[in-house]
């Protein structure tokens, strides 16, 4: 929920555009530091993506270690046969 992260609630009408030009203008405004619902949603989504990326990196590191360990055990068992 946006308010959980200090952002204001806004309706979807605040993000509605009718043309690619309006979409471009909204994105450029966000990139130029304009505050408002568009900036809030970009920040919220970016924060979620970064959180997911950090969790995935941690999982991948742990998962890779596990695969290597299991693979080593598997290779050892094949060599023993």
């Amino acid at each position: 929920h946006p308010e959980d992260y200090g952002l204001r609630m806004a309706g979807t009408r605040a993000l509605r555009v009718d043309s690619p030009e309006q979409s471009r203008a909204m994105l450029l405004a966000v990139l130029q530091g304009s505050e408002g619902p568009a900036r809030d949603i970009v920040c919220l989504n970016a924060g979620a993506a970064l959180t997911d990326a950090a969790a995935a990196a941690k999982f991948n590191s742990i998962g890779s270690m596990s695969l290597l360990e299991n693979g080593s055990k598997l290779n050892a068992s094949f060599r023993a046969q």
Side-chain angles (χ1 to χ4, degrees), residues 51-64:
T51 299
D52 286 348
K58 181 177 180 182
F59 173 79
N60 285 337
S61 295
I62 293 168
S64 297

Side-chain angles (χ1 to χ4, degrees), residues 10-17 26 37-39 41:
T12 56
R13 289 182 191 179
L15 301 172
R16 183 163 187 234
V17 295
M26 184 181 289
R39 178 181 177 267
I41 197 71

Side-chain angles (χ1 to χ4, degrees), residues 4-22:
D4 292 344
Y5 302 97
L7 303 172
R8 291 168 290 201
M9 285 291 298
T12 56
R13 289 182 191 179
L15 301 172
R16 183 163 187 234
V17 295
D18 294 318
S19 68
E21 293 78 19
Q22 287 179 342

Side-chain angles (χ1 to χ4, degrees), residues 19-77:
S19 68
E21 293 78 19
Q22 287 179 342
S23 181
R24 180 180 184 273
M26 184 181 289
L27 178 58
L28 287 175
V30 168
L31 294 174
Q32 293 168 348
S34 179
E35 293 186 14
R39 178 181 177 267
D40 290 350
I41 197 71
V42 167
C43 290
L44 188 62
N45 285 330
L50 291 171
T51 299
D52 286 348
K58 181 177 180 182
F59 173 79
N60 285 337
S61 295
I62 293 168
S64 297
M65 283 185 256
S66 177
L67 286 173
L68 288 173
E69 289 170 3
N70 291 333
S72 295
K73 290 175 190 172
L74 183 63
N75 287 335
S77 69

